[in-house]
Amino acid sequence: MEADPERARGEAAGWLILLDDDPSDEDRQAEFRVWLEEPGNRAAWESVSRTGALLASVGTEPAASPVGFPGIGGPSPVWRAWTRRPIILATVLALFGAVVLTPSLVRKLEADHATGTAQVRSVQLGDGSKVQLGPDSAIRLSFSAGERRVTLLSGEAQFDVTPDSSRPFRVVARHATTTVLGTRFGVVMLEGGTSISVARGHVEVDATMRGSSYELFAGDWVRVDRDGSVRQGADLPDYLLAGPGSRLAVRNRPVAEVVERLRPWFSGRIVIANGSIGDQPVTGVFDATDPAEALEAIVGPQGGRVLRVTPWLLIVLAG
């Protein structure tokens, strides 16, 4: 699996919380060592640990020894110094959480319409078309005499389009562009790909990387992954494409993908501390309005558990 530096740093920040919570937990130390060996994780851990050590040394005599890994050659003096200061842990988590949150803020500043955490909003456009935005979603409009263009900057949206044969309606997402004349359809943009589903009418989807097109009718769906691969189906999709709402329905999708879809409903951070649990497949229907309970229902059958560190931090562990 391709390493994601931003996600790895977020997971590393979560591990700082976990290891400080109970440094003597041997099972947790073992889980940490497994996580550390996954691609990109050691570099992320060194970066986050170094930041913590620098914060801890403010106002104290600098430590000469490098930051060590708990359970791997023993903790260094710097580690012992700063893990006794919870504010340092919170600061590190905030610093590396900002890596993920800042792009979202930038997108919303570019948007004409946007929603916040757990917020669903209906918008009527100038041509009479309606858009329902899912949580933590943003769109930018560009209407002209010859085209109605909506750019999905983040999240998901359902479109109910007013027909106008002289002005095609296009929705541009990261991995695909959808063109319609009059229909009702949904677009969901995730880190791993973009999904389009049709409730009524007829759309054409252009896969950006492949340069190929797909025609969809009522009940059809297509998912264009970030590597350019394409999956198609009809009726029940293998991932929720029914649009914004309070219930999250998935079929045979990885835990990490489902958690990504749940994150906009949680006013904090969700960290998967063990990569192996993120790869496990999930099928079910979950209540997105209670993210913590939904997360436990998602990972529990996979042998995972959820640690509530604060009201704003949930950490997923294996076993």
Side-chain angles (χ1 to χ4, degrees), residues 78-143:
V78 171
W79 172 265
R80 288 194 296 270
W82 76 271
T83 52
R84 289 195 296 268
R85 300 173 63 179
I87 188 62
I88 300 300
L89 294 172
T91 302
V92 171
L93 187 65
L95 284 172
F96 287 93
V99 172
V100 177
L101 296 177
T102 299
S104 176
L105 176 61
V106 171
R107 286 193 293 268
K108 288 181 180 178
L109 292 175
E110 297 175 347
D112 291 301
H113 302 282
T115 56
T117 300
Q119 180 186 14
V120 176
R121 179 185 173 196
S122 295
V123 177
Q124 182 158 339
L125 305 183
D127 67 333
S129 298
K130 297 177 181 178
V131 183
Q132 188 180 38
L133 291 175
D136 199 19
S137 300
I139 58 172
R140 184 174 62 235
L141 308 178
S142 180
F143 281 25

Side-chain angles (χ1 to χ4, degrees), residues 62-79:
S65 59
V67 176
F69 301 118
I72 303 179
S76 72
V78 171
W79 172 265

